[in-house]
Every structure is written in structure tokens, then in C-alpha cells.
Amino acid sequence: MARLVMKFGGTSVGSVDRIKNVAKRVKKEVDAGNEVAVVVSAMSGETNRLVGLASDVAALHDAREYDVVVSSGEQVTVGLLSMALQDLGVNARSWLGWQIPVKTSDVHGAARIEDIDCSELVERFKDGQVAVCAGFQGIASSRRITTLGRGGSDTSAVALAAAMEADQCDIYTDVDGIYTADPRIATKASKLDRITYEEMLELASLGAKVLQTRSVEMAMKHRVKLQVLSSFEELPGTLVVDEDDIVEHQVVSGVTYTRDEAKVTLQQVNDQPGVAALVFGALADAHVNVDMIVQNVSEDGKATDLTFTVGRNELDPALKVLENLKGEVNCKAIVPDPNVVKVSIVGMGMRSHAGVAQTMFSALAEKGINIQVISTSEIKVSVLLAEEYTELAVRTLHSAFNLDAA
Ligand code: ADP
Ligand code: ASP
Ligand code: MG
């Protein structure tokens, strides 16, 4: 007997038939004698619809009310799945975030889980009851409903698995595992049997939305045995594991991309001490996160271009802040460019192999793709490119690092 957390994403519960299919998968585990907690997302498209409704009513809305609205999708699916399970003769009960409770911070729209008390759920396992839990939802100390950010049901599942010391946390989704690149744009992407927590953390934070970044962080911290697998086919998926559990590391394990950033160039700012501190200090005060940064060396020692990226949805607030600073840093022009993509390669093997970045740059150059900004860390290299090159760049790098499926 094992204790399992099974998480099903939006596509997996996207219709009545699919919910019934999920119920069958869950019943199988129950029949095998396992204790099961299920975590579900809203039906596919539903959260987007709810986000749209909130924006339509008021472009600038109260984040607490946003959470009340967008969390409702998960209420529907826990109820429906519980009914479907009961219909198959399985003892099942639904749980909303506040009922469990999943206690979170009060950062509405992007709350962090602080504590989960799953004692009642675990108590009910003794009666063979399946806990059908709403993903994405929590409750703040103010007793207001919170949500965990887009894709947050992954984090709900991992956090629940950690809290109930589950033997495994299975993330069922619309692909049959973690691939070397998003299989929707890299047709030659191949499925990985295993990937390290560290690599998956980088891939997720650099755009691979197959797992929410925080879910990987949490799995790594609590050593949750995490698997990504198909909700439609019964195939082994991809295990996310410790570094020691992988015998041979690829130099590059995956290629990923994100269109979530926008580039800003401050043309001809003063090249003198304190300018960067002023610009990035003002952005930080306005809670605008800056990611990649390049500053050219000025030829005359007087003025230089300063280029950096911010979240695409933070571009407008960033521009407002910069407009106010324009005079102070003596900047000629502020040039925003939202049409960029950040493409990254990730792999533990980079620690011990030289020349990886060089291979990346040459491969892009051969296709005539211009690199606008570069950033590196121990196990990744990211480049900023014109958005139109997204697919070409991902495919090119996938081939250059020998990741193409045979
Ligand atoms: P769910 O609704 O089940 O949470 P998501 O849409 O959030 O599913 O995540 C699954 C999607 O992640 C896949 O359909 C795939 O397009 C995308 N994806 C991006 N990068 C990868 C990758 N490296 N491996 C697998 N899937 C990926
Ligand atoms: N339904 C939420 C979303 O679409 C949470 C999730 O699916 O993980 O972002
Ligand atoms: Mg998801």
C-alpha cells in the first residue's frame, strides 16, 4: 500500500468524458489498496475565461476579488470528480482550499503556501475515502481566498504530498512526460526518463510550463518523489530526481523559451558611477523585476546604452518609472521592445564542459539569428532574440546539442 497524490491538469478534466476517465484512473489506484488524494485544476480554458471576465469588469481590479473569481473553476471540478468517483462506487469527498485548510500568504494572485493541515484527510484514508482537493486555492490569515499564481495546482499537489508524506506525487497532464523541449514547437523533442530537480527548476523558471516553478522548488526542498505522466495513455512518465540518481548527465538536457519578457533600452545615458543604481533602484521600488542586463562600454567615456528586460506585463509601469528618471540620467531616448523571446539551454553537464555557450552562439549565427542580450549561470545559458525566431531558435539549438529524437 502506498500513499499517492494524483494531480490532473485542465485538459485532463476538460470535459465530462475526461472527468469520468480521471475517475477510472483514480479508482484503479484505490482498488490496488492505495491511499489517494487527488488534486484537480479547473476545466481547460476556464481560468482564462474567469481572468478575462475580471479584466472586462474593471481593468484595475481588487486582487482579493480576482481570487474569489478565478478560484471558482476548481470548485466545479472537485465537485464533478467526486460525483464521478461516487458513481463508480468509490468513497470520495471534495475539499476546497479553505476547507483543508491550505494556509497561504496574503499576496493575492500569487500567494505562497505556508502550511497545510491534512490531518482530517489522512484520518479519512482509514475509511478508504479519497480526498478530492481543489488545486490553486488557499486561504490567507485574513480568511480571504487566495490563489497560487497561474499553473499553481502543481504546487498544491506537491505541497499536499509533502504535508501528508506521500510516497509519490504524480502530475497527470496532456503530454506523457518532460521533453527536451516543448513538444508543441519542437517536433523532434524526446521524452526524458529522468531529470534532476535543479534542471527542472531552471527549465520551469525559464518558460517550460509543464510544471509551475514553485512546485519544483517545493519538491526539491521536501524531496518529494515527483513524476509527470499522461492522463490519457498508461505509459511511464518522467521522474524528477536527485542528481545522484542520474548516472550519465547530458551536457544539455533541455531547450526552453519564454515570451514573458520585454526589452528596454535607455539610449545614451551618462556613463558614470551611480546610474545603474539609480535606474534599477527606482524599478525595484516600483516592484518591477529586472532580469537580463547589458551595458555597453562607452567610446567617449561619457554616454552609453543600457539595455535590460522586465516582465512583459510590467513594461508599462517600468516605462512610467523610467520616464521620470530620464532627465536625471541624461538619457536621449527610452526604446521599449516587447517583441522579444528568451531562449535558454539547461543542463547539469555544463558544469564540467567548456564551450557550451560557444556552440549555442555559433548555431544561432549559422541561421542568421542575432543575439540581443546574453545571461548565464552554472547550468544554463539564455539569449534574448527577436520573437519571430522563437521556433527556429529552439529547433536549431535542439539539433545543435544532439537532442533530436531518432
Ligand atoms: P496542465 O493543464 O496539465 O497543467 P500545462 O498546459 O500547464 O498542463 O502543461 C503541459 C504543457 O507544457 C504541454 O502541453 C506542453 O506544451 C508544455 N511544455 C512546455 N515545455 C515542455 C517540456 N519541456 N516538456 C513537456 N511539456 C512541455
Ligand atoms: N487553473 C489554474 C490555471 O489555469 C491553476 C492550474 O491549472 O494549475 O492557472
Ligand atoms: Mg499546468
Side-chain angles (χ1 to χ4, degrees), residues 98-404:
W98 66 268
Q99 290 173 305
I100 296 174
V102 177
K103 294 186 184 159
T104 71
S105 67
D106 60 1
V107 183
H108 287 273
R112 275 183 180 270
I113 296 177
E114 289 171 349
D115 181 51
I116 299 184
D117 177 0
C118 51
S119 49
E120 192 170 345
L121 272 55
V122 169
E123 188 59 32
R124 291 177 184 220
F125 284 156
K126 291 186 191 140
D127 307 325
Q129 191 172 92
V130 173
V132 183
C133 307
F136 194 43
Q137 305 180 347
I139 180 166
S141 57
S142 56
R143 291 193 294 128
R144 290 255 141 228
I145 290 173
T146 53
T147 62
L148 308 179
R150 298 306 306 271
S153 297
D154 297 329
T155 304
S156 308
V158 173
L160 196 62
M164 58 173 54
E165 295 178 2
D167 296 287
Q168 192 152 327
C169 180
D170 288 329
I171 307 286
Y172 291 84
T173 183
D174 56 3
V175 283
D176 59 3
I178 298 164
Y179 278 70
T180 47
D182 185 345
R184 296 199 197 286
I185 75 159
T187 43
K188 291 184 180 160
S190 42
K191 188 166 108 184
L192 298 161
D193 295 330
R194 288 163 180 244
I195 187 165
T196 63
Y197 291 114
E198 288 86 347
E199 287 167 319
M200 192 57 231
L201 192 56
E202 288 283 6
L203 284 175
S205 67
L206 295 167
K209 68 165 186 162
V210 61
L211 287 173
Q212 198 197 33
T213 307
R214 277 189 197 161
S215 72
V216 187
E217 244 165 37
M218 193 166 293
M220 188 160 129
K221 185 168 164 209
H222 298 282
R223 289 300 186 248
V224 173
K225 206 171 153 201
L226 187 61
Q227 184 180 203
V228 174
L229 67 173
S230 167
S231 61
F232 306 123
E233 293 167 290
E234 297 205 18
L235 294 169
T238 303
L239 287 171
V240 188
V241 297
D242 274 324
E243 194 180 344
D244 299 345
D245 295 328
I246 295 187
V247 185
E248 212 176 319
H249 287 288
Q250 295 288 328
V251 177
V252 170
S253 298
V255 181
T256 188
Y257 67 96
T258 172
R259 295 189 172 106
D260 291 347
E261 288 180 32
K263 185 179 75 164
V264 181
T265 300
L266 302 185
Q267 286 181 342
Q268 300 292 296
V269 289
N270 284 348
D271 190 10
Q272 64 188 44
V275 168
L278 196 67
V279 170
F280 297 119
L283 289 168
D285 289 344
H287 304 288
V288 172
N289 283 317
V290 174
D291 179 26
M292 306 169 99
I293 302 175
V294 277
Q295 180 171 353
N296 297 330
V297 177
S298 58
E299 275 171 26
D300 55 5
K302 282 186 191 149
T304 182
D305 286 356
L306 181 59
T307 298
F308 51 90
T309 62
V310 297
R312 205 177 274 197
N313 52 12
E314 290 175 332
L315 183 58
D316 286 342
L319 292 176
K320 246 183 226 155
V321 170
L322 297 167
E323 213 42 69
N324 288 336
L325 281 180
K326 205 173 163 188
E328 216 170 327
V329 295
N330 213 6
C331 157
K332 290 240 162 49
I334 301 170
V335 185
D337 180 3
N339 301 316
V340 290
V341 62
K342 184 168 74 175
V343 178
S344 310
I345 54 172
V346 172
M348 301 293 276
M350 276 185 216
R351 285 181 183 163
S352 47
H353 282 77
V356 177
Q358 174 55 29
T359 306
M360 180 185 203
F361 304 153
S362 308
L364 295 172
E366 263 171 41
K367 298 284 177 188
I369 302 174
N370 185 41
I371 299 171
Q372 303 180 4
V373 188
I374 300 167
S375 76
T376 65
S377 74
E378 204 186 7
I379 62 163
K380 65 110 181 168
V381 184
S382 299
V383 290
L384 196 74
L385 314 169
E387 189 177 12
E388 61 188 299
Y389 294 122
T390 307
E391 279 85 0
L392 179 62
V394 169
R395 289 183 195 141
T396 299
L397 295 174
H398 199 266
S399 300
F401 289 100
N402 303 317
L403 297 172
D404 287 354

